[in-house]
Amino acid sequence: MAGIRPFAAPEPAALKALETLHLRCVDVLAGFETMVGRAEPEFRATAERFRDLHRAQAQELAEMIARFGREPEIDGSLMSTVNRAVVSLRSLINGIDGSILDQIQDGEQHVVDAFDDALGAGQPIDVTARLRSMRRELCLLLFETQAAATGR
């Protein structure tokens, strides 16, 4: 396959999109880390699945970014703090249970959008393949969670 360089560094815009995706994963992870500790027992396993997926994906994205000579953001943005605060406040007012699924779906859409942006930015072939797989993992978890909640 002449002309394909599977381990080539991405263009600056592609690397920026990868960094943005990583940051969104870290920010969402912060909310799920808080959520797991505050979730009602019947919802804890769901929160743990999201936390574990985002933890693994954030780590893998950080490794990709580091491979290209950049320092990944490990603490997240201001949204990490906001996500922790929102989950904490929600747990005091309504509890953390299945009623939060619509908010989870909305928040996860920002991550899915960041996957789409990163995929559309012209990543190297190996990164593109892995991002597609990671996006599918997240979408499958979202689908399974929603289907379980609606009894489908």
Side-chain angles (χ1 to χ4, degrees):
M1 297 195 336
I4 295 178
R5 297 180 341 197
F7 297 102
E11 295 295 323
L15 185 53
K16 176 69 175 149
L18 194 61
E19 290 172 324
T20 298
L21 171 59
H22 174 256
L23 191 59
R24 288 213 184 139
C25 284
V26 171
D27 289 345
V28 170
L29 173 59
F32 281 109
E33 286 175 336
T34 302
M35 189 180 296
V36 166
R38 296 174 179 262
E40 299 295 326
E42 68 276 2
F43 189 72
R44 187 164 290 122
T46 299
E48 288 171 341
R49 287 182 70 196
F50 278 98
R51 179 204 57 201
D52 294 348
L53 178 65
H54 284 298
R55 183 180 289 156
Q57 289 186 346
Q59 177 62 36
E60 189 170 352
L61 291 165
E63 290 169 4
M64 286 179 193
I65 292 165
R67 184 177 91 188
F68 298 126
R70 299 288 288 260
E71 187 71 31
E73 177 61 53
I74 59 170
D75 294 325
S77 70
L78 177 61
M79 282 307 296
S80 288
T81 302
V82 169
N83 287 340
R84 284 185 198 101
V86 166
V87 170
S88 294
L89 185 59
R90 166 78 188 228
S91 72
L92 294 172
I93 297 171
N94 294 326
I96 303 296
D97 57 18
S99 67
I100 199 171
L101 284 176
D102 286 341
Q103 288 85 7
I104 288 174
Q105 294 278 340
D106 290 343
E108 293 294 343
Q109 187 59 50
H110 294 290
V111 180
V112 172
D113 291 345
F115 269 111
D116 292 341
D117 291 345
L119 284 163
Q123 302 295 334
I125 193 167
D126 62 319
V127 173
T128 296
R130 189 57 195 130
L131 292 180
R132 284 183 181 148
S133 178
M134 292 167 77
R135 184 186 185 282
R136 272 192 304 273
E137 291 168 353
L138 176 57
C139 289
L140 181 60
L141 179 55
L142 287 165
F143 175 79
E144 289 172 351
T145 304
Q146 194 64 34
T150 59
R152 292 185 218 171

